[in-house]
Amino acid sequence: IRLSLVGSEMCIRDRDMRLMLKVCDRTLIRWRNSGKLPFFKLSGKIYFWASGVYKFLREECLNEDFISDSINS
């Protein structure tokens, strides 16, 4: 997983997020569109703020639906 520095914040590429969380494209898109996972586009590529990913994992991994949602995607 490669981290990139944008301004003073670390970010993670879309592809790396899928590999790290072991989810399909559609699941990641659903989380993005729901606003659960803050992201931005740069030169046509999607990146996630590392701090937002950390917060998302902390909050969502405690939620039992998170596991079934990831498996059923």
Side-chain angles (χ1 to χ4, degrees):
I1 295 173
R2 293 188 320 200
L3 294 175
S4 302
L5 187 62
V6 176
S8 62
E9 291 213 39
M10 299 300 287
C11 58
I12 304 168
R13 291 183 333 168
D14 182 60
R15 180 180 184 281
D16 291 330
M17 281 290 294
R18 288 194 315 270
L19 294 172
M20 180 177 72
L21 297 177
K22 297 179 182 169
V23 296
C24 69
D25 290 334
R26 191 70 207 138
T27 298
L28 208 50
I29 291 168
R30 191 171 47 251
W31 290 340
R32 271 191 352 233
N33 292 342
S34 71
K36 291 181 178 182
L37 210 45
F39 73 99
F40 65 97
K41 287 185 179 181
L42 183 63
S43 299
K45 295 182 182 177
I46 295 174
Y47 293 87
F48 298 91
W49 297 111
S51 58
V53 171
Y54 176 73
K55 180 180 178 190
F56 170 77
L57 292 174
R58 242 188 14 239
E59 292 173 358
E60 294 297 318
C61 286
L62 297 175
N63 181 351
E64 292 178 17
D65 294 333
F66 172 79
I67 296 170
S68 63
D69 183 40
S70 299
I71 292 171
N72 294 325
S73 61

